[in-house]
Tab-separated table of all heavy atoms in Angstrom:
chain	number	residue	atom	x	y	z
A	119	LYS	N	135.713	125.749	105.117
A	119	LYS	CA	135.536	125.464	106.569
A	119	LYS	C	135.056	126.665	107.277
A	119	LYS	O	134.332	126.673	108.298
A	119	LYS	CB	136.822	124.874	107.071
A	119	LYS	CG	137.129	123.413	106.616
A	119	LYS	CD	138.227	122.780	107.390
A	119	LYS	CE	138.392	121.396	106.935
A	119	LYS	NZ	139.598	120.752	107.758
A	120	ILE	N	135.734	127.767	106.881
A	120	ILE	CA	135.266	129.101	107.596
A	120	ILE	C	133.821	129.408	107.298
A	120	ILE	O	133.009	129.891	108.157
A	120	ILE	CB	136.227	130.295	107.114
A	120	ILE	CG1	137.553	130.003	107.684
A	120	ILE	CG2	135.517	131.532	107.618
A	120	ILE	CD1	138.571	131.196	107.271
A	121	GLN	N	133.369	129.021	106.040
A	121	GLN	CA	131.928	129.183	105.769
A	121	GLN	C	131.148	128.399	106.681
A	121	GLN	O	130.068	128.877	107.150
A	121	GLN	CB	131.796	128.787	104.284
A	121	GLN	CG	130.278	128.880	103.769
A	121	GLN	CD	130.031	128.292	102.445
A	121	GLN	OE1	131.104	127.842	101.873
A	121	GLN	NE2	128.928	128.350	101.894
A	122	ASP	N	131.568	127.096	106.810
A	122	ASP	CA	130.786	126.248	107.836
A	122	ASP	C	130.701	126.822	109.279
A	122	ASP	O	129.745	126.738	109.959
A	122	ASP	CB	131.374	124.895	107.788
A	122	ASP	CG	131.266	124.158	106.521
A	122	ASP	OD1	130.239	124.514	105.774
A	122	ASP	OD2	131.956	123.181	106.229
A	123	VAL	N	131.918	127.412	109.648
A	123	VAL	CA	131.907	127.964	111.009
A	123	VAL	C	130.943	129.113	111.097
A	123	VAL	O	130.168	129.184	112.127
A	123	VAL	CB	133.372	128.476	111.311
A	123	VAL	CG1	133.423	129.373	112.470
A	123	VAL	CG2	134.267	127.362	111.422
A	124	ILE	N	130.791	130.055	110.193
A	124	ILE	CA	129.969	131.062	110.268
A	124	ILE	C	128.442	130.629	110.297
A	124	ILE	O	127.563	131.068	111.033
A	124	ILE	CB	130.152	132.165	109.084
A	124	ILE	CG1	131.420	132.860	109.187
A	124	ILE	CG2	129.006	133.049	109.009
A	124	ILE	CD1	131.428	134.127	108.543
A	125	ARG	N	128.229	129.632	109.394
A	125	ARG	CA	126.871	129.064	109.384
A	125	ARG	C	126.435	128.545	110.715
A	125	ARG	O	125.288	128.660	111.241
A	125	ARG	CB	126.743	127.920	108.333
A	125	ARG	CG	125.413	127.280	108.201
A	125	ARG	CD	125.397	126.309	107.211
A	125	ARG	NE	126.490	125.322	107.211
A	125	ARG	CZ	126.746	124.359	108.018
A	125	ARG	NH1	125.713	124.114	108.937
A	125	ARG	NH2	127.764	123.619	108.060
A	126	GLU	N	127.437	127.779	111.407
A	126	GLU	CA	127.131	127.138	112.641
A	126	GLU	C	127.054	128.197	113.678
A	126	GLU	O	126.252	127.950	114.699
A	126	GLU	CB	128.233	126.173	112.968
A	126	GLU	CG	128.259	124.873	112.092
A	126	GLU	CD	129.428	124.046	112.241
A	126	GLU	OE1	130.307	124.202	113.171
A	126	GLU	OE2	129.518	123.000	111.507
A	127	ILE	N	127.772	129.310	113.699
A	127	ILE	CA	127.622	130.259	114.592
A	127	ILE	C	126.228	130.851	114.600
A	127	ILE	O	125.610	131.147	115.573
A	127	ILE	CB	128.667	131.460	114.416
A	127	ILE	CG1	130.191	130.889	114.678
A	127	ILE	CG2	128.382	132.658	115.353
A	127	ILE	CD1	131.201	131.877	114.399
A	128	ARG	N	125.716	131.071	113.356
A	128	ARG	CA	124.380	131.678	113.263
A	128	ARG	C	123.335	130.626	113.784
A	128	ARG	O	122.393	131.075	114.302
A	128	ARG	CB	124.112	131.984	111.685
A	128	ARG	CG	124.830	133.204	111.253
A	128	ARG	CD	124.337	133.662	109.896
A	128	ARG	NE	124.932	135.027	109.556
A	128	ARG	CZ	125.794	135.187	108.615
A	128	ARG	NH1	126.215	134.193	107.799
A	128	ARG	NH2	126.228	136.376	108.188
A	129	GLU	N	123.557	129.396	113.462
A	129	GLU	CA	122.592	128.356	113.886
A	129	GLU	C	122.652	128.380	115.393
A	129	GLU	O	121.592	128.258	116.100
A	129	GLU	CB	122.893	127.115	113.327
A	129	GLU	CG	122.610	126.948	111.811
A	129	GLU	CD	123.096	125.611	111.277
A	129	GLU	OE1	123.713	124.797	111.978
A	129	GLU	OE2	122.854	125.422	110.092
A	130	TYR	N	123.842	128.488	115.954
A	130	TYR	CA	124.008	128.447	117.458
A	130	TYR	C	123.115	129.482	118.100
A	130	TYR	O	122.461	129.360	119.008
A	130	TYR	CB	125.504	128.443	117.860
A	130	TYR	CG	125.712	128.575	119.245
A	130	TYR	CD1	125.718	127.455	120.129
A	130	TYR	CD2	126.143	129.734	119.791
A	130	TYR	CE1	125.979	127.537	121.473
A	130	TYR	CE2	126.416	129.891	121.163
A	130	TYR	CZ	126.380	128.707	121.949
A	130	TYR	OH	126.648	128.779	123.264
A	131	MET	N	123.429	130.746	117.656
A	131	MET	CA	122.774	131.909	118.152
A	131	MET	C	121.222	131.872	117.903
A	131	MET	O	120.448	132.279	118.766
A	131	MET	CB	123.264	133.193	117.544
A	131	MET	CG	124.761	133.611	118.108
A	131	MET	SD	125.246	135.248	117.710
A	131	MET	CE	125.503	135.083	115.959
A	132	GLY	N	120.753	131.254	116.808
A	132	GLY	CA	119.470	131.162	116.440
A	132	GLY	C	118.694	130.231	117.428
A	132	GLY	O	117.444	130.377	117.615
A	133	LYS	N	119.347	129.318	118.143
A	133	LYS	CA	118.779	128.341	118.965
A	133	LYS	C	118.668	128.836	120.498
A	133	LYS	O	118.056	128.302	121.310
A	133	LYS	CB	119.548	127.023	118.973
A	133	LYS	CG	119.434	126.308	117.705
A	133	LYS	CD	120.306	125.111	117.710
A	133	LYS	CE	120.155	124.308	116.316
A	133	LYS	NZ	121.008	123.143	116.300
A	134	ILE	N	119.359	130.083	120.682
A	134	ILE	CA	119.427	130.638	122.092
A	134	ILE	C	118.017	131.294	122.329
A	134	ILE	O	117.714	132.099	121.494
A	134	ILE	CB	120.643	131.547	122.218
A	134	ILE	CG1	121.856	130.795	122.132
A	134	ILE	CG2	120.377	132.221	123.660
A	134	ILE	CD1	123.148	131.622	122.243
A	135	PRO	N	117.315	130.895	123.456
A	135	PRO	CA	116.039	131.536	123.678
A	135	PRO	C	116.194	133.036	124.062
A	135	PRO	O	117.176	133.452	124.499
A	135	PRO	CB	115.473	130.598	124.809
A	135	PRO	CG	116.693	130.103	125.532
A	135	PRO	CD	117.691	129.919	124.406
A	136	VAL	N	114.980	133.605	124.038
A	136	VAL	CA	114.925	135.151	124.269
A	136	VAL	C	114.044	135.299	125.477
A	136	VAL	O	112.984	134.825	125.585
A	136	VAL	CB	114.413	135.935	123.128
A	136	VAL	CG1	114.219	137.401	123.467
A	136	VAL	CG2	115.368	135.730	121.887
A	137	LEU	N	114.477	136.103	126.437
A	137	LEU	CA	113.690	136.536	127.607
A	137	LEU	C	113.340	137.948	127.345
A	137	LEU	O	114.153	138.863	127.303
A	137	LEU	CB	114.575	136.452	128.959
A	137	LEU	CG	113.925	137.063	130.188
A	137	LEU	CD1	112.683	136.315	130.629
A	137	LEU	CD2	114.886	137.157	131.257
A	138	SER	N	112.012	138.146	127.324
A	138	SER	CA	111.543	139.634	127.145
A	138	SER	C	111.474	140.252	128.549
A	138	SER	O	110.896	139.655	129.424
A	138	SER	CB	110.144	139.596	126.464
A	138	SER	OG	110.141	139.058	125.195
A	139	LEU	N	112.009	141.415	128.636
A	139	LEU	CA	112.209	142.032	129.902
A	139	LEU	C	111.742	143.467	129.742
A	139	LEU	O	112.363	144.278	128.884
A	139	LEU	CB	113.655	141.959	130.390
A	139	LEU	CG	113.974	142.767	131.769
A	139	LEU	CD1	113.272	142.080	132.898
A	139	LEU	CD2	115.570	142.656	131.829
A	140	THR	N	110.847	143.930	130.504
A	140	THR	CA	110.227	145.338	130.457
A	140	THR	C	110.698	146.055	131.695
A	140	THR	O	110.451	145.548	132.855
A	140	THR	CB	108.714	145.359	130.363
A	140	THR	OG1	108.255	144.656	129.241
A	140	THR	CG2	108.191	146.847	130.244
A	141	LEU	N	111.405	147.189	131.585
A	141	LEU	CA	111.922	147.977	132.627
A	141	LEU	C	111.415	149.378	132.555
A	141	LEU	O	110.990	149.854	131.427
A	141	LEU	CB	113.409	147.941	132.709
A	141	LEU	CG	114.181	146.643	132.665
A	141	LEU	CD1	115.654	146.824	132.444
A	141	LEU	CD2	113.888	145.979	134.115
A	142	ALA	N	111.457	150.132	133.564
A	142	ALA	CA	110.984	151.407	133.710
A	142	ALA	C	111.950	152.435	133.118
A	142	ALA	O	111.590	153.465	132.491
A	142	ALA	CB	110.628	151.858	135.068
A	143	GLU	N	113.226	152.131	132.948
A	143	GLU	CA	114.181	153.024	132.322
A	143	GLU	C	115.337	152.112	131.789
A	143	GLU	O	115.528	151.009	132.251
A	143	GLU	CB	114.747	153.997	133.390
A	143	GLU	CG	115.352	153.382	134.627
A	143	GLU	CD	115.853	154.466	135.692
A	143	GLU	OE1	115.190	155.590	135.618
A	143	GLU	OE2	116.717	154.134	136.411
A	144	SER	N	116.196	152.655	131.002
A	144	SER	CA	117.314	152.010	130.406
A	144	SER	C	118.259	151.595	131.505
A	144	SER	O	118.831	152.365	132.154
A	144	SER	CB	117.912	152.879	129.324
A	144	SER	OG	117.110	153.187	128.268
A	145	PRO	N	118.650	150.231	131.413
A	145	PRO	CA	119.538	149.787	132.514
A	145	PRO	C	120.985	149.945	131.964
A	145	PRO	O	121.357	150.044	130.793
A	145	PRO	CB	119.196	148.307	132.467
A	145	PRO	CG	118.798	147.970	131.146
A	145	PRO	CD	118.065	149.131	130.605
A	146	ARG	N	121.925	150.084	133.047
A	146	ARG	CA	123.330	150.068	132.667
A	146	ARG	C	123.776	148.634	132.421
A	146	ARG	O	123.173	147.662	132.821
A	146	ARG	CB	124.060	150.656	133.869
A	146	ARG	CG	123.768	152.070	134.238
A	146	ARG	CD	124.598	152.679	135.379
A	146	ARG	NE	124.325	154.047	135.611
A	146	ARG	CZ	124.965	154.773	136.515
A	146	ARG	NH1	125.962	154.210	137.349
A	146	ARG	NH2	124.627	156.024	136.657
A	147	GLU	N	124.930	148.643	131.635
A	147	GLU	CA	125.478	147.340	131.217
A	147	GLU	C	125.670	146.429	132.430
A	147	GLU	O	125.497	145.212	132.416
A	147	GLU	CB	126.691	147.466	130.380
A	147	GLU	CG	127.264	146.173	129.814
A	147	GLU	CD	128.422	146.442	128.908
A	147	GLU	OE1	128.694	147.517	128.626
A	147	GLU	OE2	128.898	145.362	128.470
A	148	GLU	N	126.183	146.952	133.471
A	148	GLU	CA	126.404	146.115	134.727
A	148	GLU	C	125.198	145.466	135.234
A	148	GLU	O	125.223	144.314	135.698
A	148	GLU	CB	127.146	147.066	135.834
A	148	GLU	CG	127.760	146.196	136.926
A	148	GLU	CD	128.828	145.247	136.428
A	148	GLU	OE1	129.555	145.618	135.542
A	148	GLU	OE2	128.960	144.188	136.971
A	149	LEU	N	124.089	146.103	135.180
A	149	LEU	CA	122.836	145.588	135.622
A	149	LEU	C	122.322	144.497	134.625
A	149	LEU	O	121.815	143.447	135.079
A	149	LEU	CB	121.724	146.704	135.733
A	149	LEU	CG	120.358	146.139	136.146
A	149	LEU	CD1	120.434	145.432	137.454
A	149	LEU	CD2	119.338	147.294	136.181
A	150	LEU	N	122.500	144.776	133.346
A	150	LEU	CA	122.244	143.779	132.393
A	150	LEU	C	122.984	142.482	132.602
A	150	LEU	O	122.406	141.354	132.503
A	150	LEU	CB	122.479	144.299	130.970
A	150	LEU	CG	121.409	145.224	130.359
A	150	LEU	CD1	121.845	145.718	129.006
A	150	LEU	CD2	119.992	144.596	130.282
A	151	LYS	N	124.287	142.541	132.889
A	151	LYS	CA	125.068	141.420	133.117
A	151	LYS	C	124.580	140.636	134.367
A	151	LYS	O	124.500	139.377	134.249
A	151	LYS	CB	126.446	141.845	133.370
A	151	LYS	CG	127.244	142.343	132.134
A	151	LYS	CD	128.735	142.749	132.533
A	151	LYS	CE	129.489	143.291	131.226
A	151	LYS	NZ	130.813	143.653	131.537
A	152	LYS	N	124.202	141.315	135.390
A	152	LYS	CA	123.709	140.611	136.538
A	152	LYS	C	122.400	139.930	136.185
A	152	LYS	O	122.149	138.900	136.695
A	152	LYS	CB	123.466	141.716	137.745
A	152	LYS	CG	124.761	142.118	138.279
A	152	LYS	CD	124.609	143.214	139.395
A	152	LYS	CE	125.843	143.666	139.894
A	152	LYS	NZ	125.670	144.714	141.014
A	153	ILE	N	121.413	140.634	135.547
A	153	ILE	CA	120.141	140.005	135.192
A	153	ILE	C	120.373	138.846	134.277
A	153	ILE	O	119.784	137.749	134.549
A	153	ILE	CB	119.254	141.062	134.425
A	153	ILE	CG1	118.917	142.181	135.342
A	153	ILE	CG2	118.035	140.355	133.835
A	153	ILE	CD1	118.177	143.398	134.657
Side-chain angles (χ1 to χ4, degrees):
K119 287 187 178 180
I120 292 180
Q121 175 185 7
D122 290 339
V123 167
I124 288 203
R125 175 180 52 77
E126 290 173 6
I127 291 172
R128 288 194 171 111
E129 290 176 355
Y130 175 76
M131 288 196 287
K133 293 176 182 177
I134 295 177
V136 174
L137 169 69
S138 295
L139 178 66
T140 301
L141 301 171
E143 58 184 25
S144 297
R146 295 184 177 182
E147 184 174 354
E148 193 60 36
L149 177 59
L150 280 178
K151 289 180 179 179
K152 291 180 179 179
I153 293 173

